[in-house]
Short mmCIF file of all heavy atoms in Angstrom, two decimals:
data_model
loop_
_atom_site.label_atom_id
_atom_site.label_comp_id
_atom_site.label_asym_id
_atom_site.label_seq_id
_atom_site.Cartn_x
_atom_site.Cartn_y
_atom_site.Cartn_z
N VAL W 297 13.08 -3.41 27.07
CA VAL W 297 12.06 -2.38 27.19
C VAL W 297 10.71 -3.05 27.46
O VAL W 297 10.31 -3.94 26.71
CB VAL W 297 11.99 -1.53 25.90
CG1 VAL W 297 10.87 -0.51 26.00
CG2 VAL W 297 13.34 -0.85 25.65
N SER W 298 10.05 -2.61 28.52
CA SER W 298 8.76 -3.20 28.90
C SER W 298 7.64 -2.21 28.64
O SER W 298 7.77 -1.02 28.95
CB SER W 298 8.76 -3.57 30.39
OG SER W 298 9.75 -4.52 30.66
N GLN W 299 6.55 -2.70 28.09
CA GLN W 299 5.37 -1.86 27.87
C GLN W 299 4.16 -2.51 28.51
O GLN W 299 4.01 -3.74 28.47
CB GLN W 299 5.14 -1.65 26.38
CG GLN W 299 6.22 -0.81 25.73
CD GLN W 299 5.86 -0.41 24.32
OE1 GLN W 299 6.50 -0.83 23.35
NE2 GLN W 299 4.83 0.43 24.17
N ASP W 300 3.31 -1.66 29.05
CA ASP W 300 2.12 -2.16 29.74
C ASP W 300 0.96 -1.21 29.50
O ASP W 300 1.14 0.01 29.57
CB ASP W 300 2.42 -2.25 31.25
CG ASP W 300 1.26 -2.84 32.01
OD1 ASP W 300 1.01 -4.05 31.82
OD2 ASP W 300 0.61 -2.10 32.76
N PRO W 301 -0.24 -1.73 29.18
CA PRO W 301 -0.55 -3.14 28.96
C PRO W 301 -0.13 -3.59 27.56
O PRO W 301 0.28 -2.77 26.74
CB PRO W 301 -2.07 -3.16 29.11
CG PRO W 301 -2.49 -1.82 28.59
CD PRO W 301 -1.42 -0.86 29.02
N ARG W 302 -0.25 -4.86 27.27
CA ARG W 302 0.01 -5.36 25.92
C ARG W 302 -1.15 -5.06 24.99
O ARG W 302 -0.97 -4.79 23.81
CB ARG W 302 0.28 -6.86 25.94
CG ARG W 302 1.61 -7.25 26.53
CD ARG W 302 2.80 -6.73 25.70
NE ARG W 302 2.69 -7.05 24.29
CZ ARG W 302 3.10 -8.18 23.74
NH1 ARG W 302 3.62 -9.13 24.50
NH2 ARG W 302 3.00 -8.37 22.43
N HIS W 303 -2.35 -5.14 25.55
CA HIS W 303 -3.56 -4.89 24.77
C HIS W 303 -4.50 -4.01 25.59
O HIS W 303 -4.57 -4.16 26.81
CB HIS W 303 -4.29 -6.19 24.42
CG HIS W 303 -3.45 -7.16 23.68
ND1 HIS W 303 -3.31 -7.14 22.31
CD2 HIS W 303 -2.69 -8.21 24.12
CE1 HIS W 303 -2.50 -8.13 21.93
NE2 HIS W 303 -2.12 -8.79 23.01
N LYS W 304 -5.21 -3.11 24.87
CA LYS W 304 -6.19 -2.27 25.54
C LYS W 304 -7.36 -2.05 24.58
O LYS W 304 -7.17 -1.64 23.43
CB LYS W 304 -5.56 -0.92 25.91
CG LYS W 304 -6.52 0.06 26.56
CD LYS W 304 -6.87 -0.35 27.95
CE LYS W 304 -7.75 0.70 28.62
NZ LYS W 304 -8.14 0.28 30.00
N ILE W 305 -8.56 -2.38 25.06
CA ILE W 305 -9.76 -2.09 24.30
C ILE W 305 -10.52 -1.03 25.08
O ILE W 305 -10.74 -1.18 26.29
CB ILE W 305 -10.63 -3.35 24.12
CG1 ILE W 305 -9.84 -4.42 23.36
CG2 ILE W 305 -11.91 -3.02 23.36
CD1 ILE W 305 -10.56 -5.75 23.25
N THR W 306 -10.89 0.03 24.42
CA THR W 306 -11.58 1.12 25.10
C THR W 306 -12.71 1.64 24.23
O THR W 306 -12.71 1.48 23.00
CB THR W 306 -10.60 2.25 25.44
OG1 THR W 306 -11.23 3.19 26.31
CG2 THR W 306 -10.16 3.00 24.18
N LYS W 307 -13.66 2.27 24.87
CA LYS W 307 -14.76 2.87 24.13
C LYS W 307 -14.36 4.27 23.67
O LYS W 307 -13.62 4.99 24.35
CB LYS W 307 -16.01 2.94 25.00
CG LYS W 307 -16.60 1.58 25.31
CD LYS W 307 -17.89 1.73 26.11
CE LYS W 307 -18.51 0.38 26.38
NZ LYS W 307 -19.76 0.48 27.18
N ARG W 308 -14.87 4.65 22.54
CA ARG W 308 -14.61 5.97 22.00
C ARG W 308 -14.98 7.04 23.03
O ARG W 308 -16.01 6.95 23.69
CB ARG W 308 -15.45 6.17 20.73
CG ARG W 308 -15.12 7.41 19.92
CD ARG W 308 -15.91 7.42 18.65
NE ARG W 308 -17.33 7.17 18.88
CZ ARG W 308 -18.21 6.96 17.92
NH1 ARG W 308 -17.81 6.93 16.67
NH2 ARG W 308 -19.47 6.77 18.20
N GLY W 309 -14.08 8.00 23.19
CA GLY W 309 -14.31 9.07 24.13
C GLY W 309 -13.64 8.87 25.48
O GLY W 309 -13.54 9.83 26.27
N GLN W 310 -13.20 7.66 25.76
CA GLN W 310 -12.52 7.39 27.04
C GLN W 310 -11.04 7.80 26.94
O GLN W 310 -10.48 7.93 25.85
CB GLN W 310 -12.62 5.91 27.38
CG GLN W 310 -14.03 5.41 27.59
CD GLN W 310 -14.65 6.02 28.83
OE1 GLN W 310 -14.11 5.93 29.93
NE2 GLN W 310 -15.79 6.68 28.66
N ASN W 311 -10.44 7.99 28.10
CA ASN W 311 -9.02 8.28 28.18
C ASN W 311 -8.26 6.98 28.45
O ASN W 311 -8.75 6.10 29.16
CB ASN W 311 -8.71 9.27 29.30
CG ASN W 311 -9.41 10.60 29.11
OD1 ASN W 311 -9.85 10.94 28.01
ND2 ASN W 311 -9.51 11.36 30.19
N VAL W 312 -7.06 6.87 27.86
CA VAL W 312 -6.21 5.71 28.12
C VAL W 312 -4.79 6.18 28.41
O VAL W 312 -4.36 7.23 27.93
CB VAL W 312 -6.19 4.73 26.92
CG1 VAL W 312 -7.55 4.10 26.71
CG2 VAL W 312 -5.70 5.42 25.66
N THR W 313 -4.08 5.39 29.18
CA THR W 313 -2.68 5.69 29.50
C THR W 313 -1.85 4.43 29.34
O THR W 313 -2.24 3.37 29.83
CB THR W 313 -2.54 6.21 30.94
OG1 THR W 313 -3.31 7.41 31.07
CG2 THR W 313 -1.08 6.53 31.26
N PHE W 314 -0.72 4.57 28.68
CA PHE W 314 0.21 3.47 28.49
C PHE W 314 1.51 3.78 29.22
O PHE W 314 1.91 4.94 29.32
CB PHE W 314 0.54 3.26 27.00
CG PHE W 314 -0.67 3.19 26.10
CD1 PHE W 314 -0.65 3.80 24.87
CD2 PHE W 314 -1.81 2.51 26.50
CE1 PHE W 314 -1.75 3.74 24.03
CE2 PHE W 314 -2.92 2.45 25.67
CZ PHE W 314 -2.89 3.08 24.43
N ARG W 315 2.18 2.73 29.63
CA ARG W 315 3.45 2.91 30.34
C ARG W 315 4.57 2.22 29.60
O ARG W 315 4.39 1.16 29.00
CB ARG W 315 3.33 2.33 31.74
CG ARG W 315 4.64 2.41 32.53
CD ARG W 315 4.49 1.87 33.93
NE ARG W 315 5.80 1.74 34.58
CZ ARG W 315 6.10 2.30 35.74
NH1 ARG W 315 5.20 3.01 36.41
NH2 ARG W 315 7.31 2.14 36.27
N CYS W 316 5.76 2.83 29.66
CA CYS W 316 6.96 2.25 29.08
C CYS W 316 8.09 2.33 30.10
O CYS W 316 8.37 3.40 30.65
CB CYS W 316 7.37 3.00 27.81
SG CYS W 316 8.99 2.51 27.16
N ASP W 317 8.74 1.20 30.34
CA ASP W 317 9.94 1.15 31.18
C ASP W 317 11.13 0.86 30.28
O ASP W 317 11.24 -0.27 29.76
CB ASP W 317 9.80 0.08 32.26
CG ASP W 317 8.85 0.51 33.35
OD1 ASP W 317 7.63 0.23 33.23
OD2 ASP W 317 9.32 1.14 34.31
N PRO W 318 12.01 1.82 30.09
CA PRO W 318 13.15 1.61 29.18
C PRO W 318 14.25 0.80 29.86
O PRO W 318 14.17 0.49 31.05
CB PRO W 318 13.63 3.04 28.91
CG PRO W 318 13.32 3.76 30.19
CD PRO W 318 12.04 3.15 30.70
N ILE W 319 15.27 0.48 29.11
CA ILE W 319 16.47 -0.10 29.68
C ILE W 319 17.08 0.95 30.61
O ILE W 319 17.19 2.12 30.25
CB ILE W 319 17.46 -0.52 28.58
CG1 ILE W 319 16.85 -1.70 27.80
CG2 ILE W 319 18.81 -0.88 29.15
CD1 ILE W 319 17.64 -2.12 26.58
N SER W 320 17.45 0.55 31.80
CA SER W 320 17.73 1.50 32.87
C SER W 320 18.85 2.50 32.53
O SER W 320 18.78 3.66 32.92
CB SER W 320 18.06 0.76 34.17
OG SER W 320 19.14 -0.13 33.95
N GLU W 321 19.86 2.07 31.82
CA GLU W 321 20.95 3.01 31.54
C GLU W 321 20.74 3.84 30.27
O GLU W 321 21.59 4.65 29.90
CB GLU W 321 22.29 2.27 31.45
CG GLU W 321 22.35 1.20 30.37
CD GLU W 321 21.99 -0.17 30.89
OE1 GLU W 321 21.21 -0.28 31.85
OE2 GLU W 321 22.50 -1.16 30.30
N HIS W 322 19.60 3.66 29.61
CA HIS W 322 19.31 4.43 28.40
C HIS W 322 18.62 5.74 28.77
O HIS W 322 17.54 5.73 29.38
CB HIS W 322 18.39 3.63 27.46
CG HIS W 322 19.07 2.50 26.79
ND1 HIS W 322 18.40 1.67 25.90
CD2 HIS W 322 20.34 2.04 26.85
CE1 HIS W 322 19.25 0.76 25.44
NE2 HIS W 322 20.42 0.95 26.02
N ASN W 323 19.20 6.88 28.35
CA ASN W 323 18.55 8.13 28.71
C ASN W 323 17.67 8.68 27.58
O ASN W 323 16.96 9.65 27.78
CB ASN W 323 19.56 9.18 29.18
CG ASN W 323 20.74 9.31 28.25
OD1 ASN W 323 20.68 8.89 27.11
ND2 ASN W 323 21.81 9.89 28.75
#
Side-chain angles (χ1 to χ4, degrees):
Chain W
V297 177
S298 299
Q299 292 190 246
D300 184 69
R302 288 296 309 274
H303 303 274
K304 177 72 176 178
I305 300 174
T306 190
K307 291 184 178 179
R308 190 174 49 189
Q310 297 293 304
N311 300 341
V312 294
T313 300
F314 310 140
R315 177 179 170 125
C316 172
D317 286 90
I319 292 174
S320 56
E321 60 266 29
H322 288 180
N323 48 19

